[in-house]
Amino acid sequence: MAAEVERTTAWAQANAHRYRWDFYGDVDGHGRVRGEAARLFTADLHAHPERYVAASLPDLPFADDSFDLVLSSHLLFTYSDRLDRAFHRAALLELARVSRGQVRAFPLVSQIGRPETELVEQVMADLAAADVRASIRAVDYYFEPGAGSMLVLDP
Ligand SMILES: C[S@@+](CC[C@H](N)C(=O)[O-])C[C@H]1O[C@@H](n2cnc3c(N)ncnc32)[C@H](O)[C@@H]1O
């Protein structure tokens, strides 16, 4: 975990011009927030291992309507170079199945910061065809320029 924080801090340092710094302040602030998040996560994982379930989309080992809210961050749309439309459709329908509330997927840009407008529209059409209501909403926090929106699936 520490090695991963170090790796991303080095990346942020070398690529600082690519990001927005209003939330973290600077590269050190980014490292501090990520380091603290990693520390809290590791401590909670050790203290409450029963809270964590390893699983892989598009199939989740949870009953229908298991959660009040489902969040997916930096997976869908981020890896559009290797996860296709069919994967996104299946993954979002699965996330909707296990949520009794909203599903929120963020951001809607690829790993290289390219807006995934076409894929988002295709997936929204797939969801509409499956009777799942989806909309794009603005978010306050985002780190990558152009990444200020999320896809919200309403129950
Ligand atoms: C870029 S990381 C994002 C981590 C975290 N959600 C965040 O926003 O900081 C992408 C994550 O997607 C997870 N992942 C990759 N394939 C997955 C799949 N098929 N189902 C669920 N998670 C997957 C990886 O293990 C990794 O933790």
Side-chain angles (χ1 to χ4, degrees):
M1 190 79 73
E4 175 61 13
V5 172
E6 232 170 75
R7 189 187 68 77
T8 50
T9 300
W11 167 267
Q13 183 93 57
N15 295 275
H17 58 285
R18 291 186 181 200
Y19 299 107
R20 302 170 76 234
W21 292 99
D22 53 333
F23 179 79
Y24 295 109
D26 55 21
V27 173
D28 288 343
H30 177 256
R32 266 195 308 280
V33 170
R34 288 182 67 88
E36 179 63 1
R39 190 190 66 71
L40 289 171
F41 168 69
T42 310
D44 197 64
L45 180 62
H46 287 297
H48 303 286
E50 76 286 355
R51 289 179 177 170
Y52 298 87
V53 176
S56 186
L57 286 166
D59 299 305
L60 299 178
F62 304 115
D64 294 359
D65 301 327
S66 292
F67 303 99
D68 291 331
L69 174 67
V70 171
L71 306 176
S72 172
S73 147
H74 294 94
L75 170 66
L76 299 172
F77 307 107
T78 297
Y79 296 106
S80 54
D81 56 333
R82 64 203 87 165
L83 300 175
D84 63 8
R85 174 180 179 173
F87 176 88
H88 283 74
R89 175 188 183 280
L92 282 161
L93 288 177
E94 182 69 346
L95 294 173
R97 182 187 68 76
V98 302
S99 181
R100 54 183 169 263
Q102 287 183 343
V103 175
R104 301 177 185 173
F106 166 84
L108 306 181
V109 300
S110 72
Q111 213 174 6
I112 56 167
R114 182 187 61 212
E116 286 303 321
T117 314
E118 189 182 347
L119 179 58
V120 171
E121 283 172 5
Q122 291 171 340
V123 170
M124 287 177 79
D126 290 341
L127 293 170
D131 275 337
V132 175
R133 286 183 301 148
S135 55
I136 297 173
R137 304 209 193 148
V139 298
D140 290 333
Y141 162 82
Y142 56 105
F143 189 41
E144 300 142 296
S149 58
M150 63 179 170
L151 184 66
V152 177
L153 277 51
D154 286 304

